[in-house]
């Protein structure tokens, strides 16, 4: 194990350090709900499946995730989508009008939106032409107020994974927190950085049930980090941030052991087919390598092709305004018949 000079107390905002967290009824007493009479939370006593407050620590759900991901529950925090988890990171570690974050465009749009909402500065270091982090430029850009570096790998909208060596160099040398957004990791050939969480005290990993696990509608985001970081986030999260229906549905789906794996394998097979077919479309000049469930392609005229597809009833994402993505379209891999319709339509344009 490397020794990295990192103390989370130097990063956390003073107001958060001093905070006395809200203590909910369900924090103060946790017991076997069948055996006890609960008169502590001003709930309606008539059962309908959701008349009780949900478990603020989502213990059953975390224990299932802990098994699937092979990590202790004390390293897990759950949120109302990754977006809530990312927002908690800003509110815990970034002082408004003082601190900044570093992002690597073209990348996921929420990092800069959340920075703007929270009055946090944004430093941008463009990815290289092959969409890899420029490690030296990033480290040179960082100053003493650079609290968080966001690495999205596999990256949205480009689809590629960042090189392991670059990520490791940044983890070792960046003085703040490094968040690796692994929303698409289950589609990737690369291993999750979860395996190496213990080596890097400044590492936070975010994942989601929205993509590979097929549950975008329930809003369940996951954060993995050191116990110190998790306990800081626990102090500021809304007590009942993951609702009962979400917890139940996630538990039910995750217990269908083969389901996600089978669907991921199907989607990967479809991705291979789709890429093969896209190569035969005359106005597609480049297909970027994908480690995710979408493919970025360069076309002759992104606005024109986007409008034509809408006209034919197919909605894709036009990414042409993103830096380095001129005339690029992002295509989500659908079911076999959906991909066939896309290809047929593209060929007919
Ligand atoms: C889709 C996506 C997410 C997921 O966000 P949720 O709020 O969990 O649905 C996170 N990061 C990236 C890069 C994404 O593309």
């Amino acid at each position: 194990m490397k020794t990295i000079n990192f103390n989370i107390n130097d990063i956390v905002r003073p107001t958060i350090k001093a905070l006395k967290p809200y203590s909910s009824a369900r924090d103060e007493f946790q017991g076997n709900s069948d055996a006890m009479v609960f008169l502590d939370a001003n709930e309606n006593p008539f059962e309908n499946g959701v008349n009780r407050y949900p478990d603020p620590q989502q213990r059953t759900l975390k224990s299932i995730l802990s098994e699937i991901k092979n990590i202790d529950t004390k390293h897990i925090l759950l949120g109302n989508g990754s977006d809530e988890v990312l927002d908690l990171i800003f509110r815990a570690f970034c002082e408004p009008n003082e601190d900044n974050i570093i992002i690597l465009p073209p990348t996921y749009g929420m990092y800069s939106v959340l920075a703007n909402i929270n009055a946090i500065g944004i430093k941008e270091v463009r990815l290289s032409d092959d969409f890899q982090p420029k490690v030296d430029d990033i480290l040179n850009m960082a100053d003493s107020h650079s609290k968080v570096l966001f690495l999205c790998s596999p990256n949205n909208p480009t689809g590629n994974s960042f090189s392991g060596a670059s990520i490791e160099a940044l983890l070792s040398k960046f003085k703040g927190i490094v968040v690796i957004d692994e929303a698409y990791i289950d589609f990737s050939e690369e291993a999750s950085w979860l395996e190496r969480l213990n080596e890097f005290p400044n590492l936070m990993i975010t994942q989601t049930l929205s993509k590979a696990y097929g549950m975008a509608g329930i809003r369940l985001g996951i954060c993995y980090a050191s116990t110190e970081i998790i306990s800081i986030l626990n102090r500021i999260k809304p007590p009942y941030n993951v609702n009962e229906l979400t917890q139940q549905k996630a538990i039910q789906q995750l217990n269908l052991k083969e389901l996600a794996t089978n669907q991921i394998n199907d989607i990967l097979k479809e991705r291979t087919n789709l890429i093969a077919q896209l190569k035969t479309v005359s106005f597609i000049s480049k297909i970027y390598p994908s480690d995710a469930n979408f493919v970025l392609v360069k076309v002759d005229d992104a606005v024109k092709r986007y409008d034509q597809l809408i006209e034919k009833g197919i909605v894709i994402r036009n990414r042409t305004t993103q830096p380095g993505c001129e005339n690029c379209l992002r295509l989500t891999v659908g079911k076999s018949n959906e991909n066939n319709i896309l290809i047929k339509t593209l060929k007919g344009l």
Side-chain angles (χ1 to χ4, degrees), residues 201-231:
N202 58 340
L203 170 60
M204 301 183 71
I205 296 160
T206 61
Q207 295 182 354
T208 178
L209 297 190
S210 296
K211 308 284 160 57
Y213 285 91
M215 287 179 265
I218 69 171
R219 314 303 304 127
L220 200 286
I222 311 162
C223 168
Y224 305 95
S226 70
T227 52
E228 288 81 8
I229 291 177
I230 294 297
S231 71

Side-chain angles (χ1 to χ4, degrees), residues 80-83 108 111 152 156 181 183-184 207-208 210-211 219-221:
N80 184 0
S82 310
D83 293 345
Y108 187 48
Y111 315 134
C152 187
N156 180 4
D181 184 339
Y184 299 98
Q207 295 182 354
T208 178
S210 296
K211 308 284 160 57
R219 314 303 304 127
L220 200 286

